[in-house]
Amino acid sequence: MKAEERTISNILTEQICYQIPAYQRPYSWEKENAQQLLEDIWEAFTEKNSEYFIGSLITIEREKDRRYDVVDGQQRLTTLNLIVARLRDHITSEAAKVELGKRILPRNVLNDEAETPRLSLRKKDQKFFREHVIDSQPVPEKDRAALEAPHRHLIENCEVVDSFCKGKSDKELKLFADYLLSKVYVVFVTTYS
């Protein structure tokens, strides 16, 4: 077992993919959880804290330095992906959009095709996550009442981030995104079985 502090930038890097194993519970963070995480990071950002710790991520390494199963921390990791996706959508700078986008879904620069998402949820939830979080396709209002709880939580938490972004300038959002990636830490724990 190995444990080390890593920034979110080191967690959401192009070389690493995370898989939520089928035995894990589905995404269950309520709006209050996502809002609390955002508010805590925003407070650390506005107070200019040199670093901010948000917990641990426990993984099983499946391919050295490239592919990991998430054993603990999937709620936080999924929410971080969701936050990065929504920040990408609210920031107007094309360079910033590209930088944030490659943290969740890198593109091949030679053919501009999407590669493997940085995070794969349980098989039952992955298509919805890809379409409505990573690719930002809206869920029609008429379909929202029929959403399963994990999908409803994903959409509601996207809306939490949207509300958070409203009223903030492009510069504030870019600086916040930079803080999130470079000053927010997790303890990254890797086991090999």
Side-chain angles (χ1 to χ4, degrees):
M1 182 184 319
K2 182 171 93 174
E4 59 186 332
E5 282 189 8
R6 289 192 183 178
T7 64
I8 301 307
S9 181
N10 294 132
I11 297 297
L12 300 180
T13 184
E14 287 187 67
Q15 296 82 10
I16 299 176
C17 293
Y18 301 94
Q19 173 72 46
I20 306 301
Y23 62 79
Q24 290 283 13
R25 67 185 174 137
Y27 184 67
S28 63
W29 264 22
E30 306 267 340
K31 292 186 285 190
E32 296 77 21
N33 301 107
Q35 192 161 3
Q36 188 66 58
L37 179 63
L38 264 174
E39 288 173 3
D40 289 347
I41 297 170
W42 179 257
E43 183 178 326
F45 165 69
T46 58
E47 291 177 358
K48 297 180 174 36
N49 292 351
S50 60
E51 60 183 39
Y52 186 70
F53 172 73
I54 61 168
S56 60
L57 180 62
I58 301 173
T59 65
I60 298 172
E61 188 173 55
R62 296 297 183 199
E63 183 182 336
K64 184 154 181 56
D65 297 326
R66 294 198 52 85
R67 198 169 57 82
Y68 298 86
D69 282 353
V70 178
V71 176
D72 186 52
Q74 73 135 318
Q75 305 296 322
R76 191 175 306 107
L77 182 61
T78 303
T79 305
L80 287 167
N81 273 264
L82 186 148
I83 291 169
V84 170
R86 299 311 294 159
L87 283 169
R88 173 205 60 201
D89 295 345
H90 283 275
I91 290 173
T92 59
S93 160
E94 196 55 41
K97 284 180 177 294
V98 168
E99 178 62 28
L100 291 171
K102 74 181 183 182
R103 300 297 176 159
I104 53 175
L105 182 67
R107 301 194 82 76
N108 181 316
V109 293
L110 300 176
N111 63 18
D112 200 38
E113 290 183 15
E115 295 180 352
T116 304
R118 299 298 101 209
L119 175 65
S120 293
L121 300 189
R122 297 171 337 137
K123 195 172 199 167
K124 183 177 181 180
D125 302 324
Q126 182 58 25
K127 183 175 186 283
F128 186 90
F129 178 72
R130 172 70 187 262
E131 289 175 359
H132 302 291
V133 175
I134 294 175
D135 294 339
S136 304
Q137 295 176 19
V139 175
E141 197 62 42
K142 65 181 179 54
D143 298 338
R144 291 180 65 135
L147 290 176
E148 295 178 24
H151 300 172
R152 187 179 68 253
H153 294 309
L154 288 167
I155 294 304
E156 288 174 348
N157 290 338
C158 282
E159 292 169 350
V160 164
V161 181
D162 291 340
S163 292
F164 167 83
C165 291
K166 285 190 175 122
K168 292 181 175 59
S169 71
D170 204 52
K171 182 177 180 179
E172 282 178 306
L173 291 176
K174 287 194 297 187
L175 290 172
F176 178 72
D178 180 60
Y179 184 85
L180 173 68
L181 293 171
S182 63
K183 304 292 185 188
V184 177
Y185 288 82
V186 297
V187 173
F188 189 78
V189 180
T190 306
T191 63
Y192 303 98
S193 65

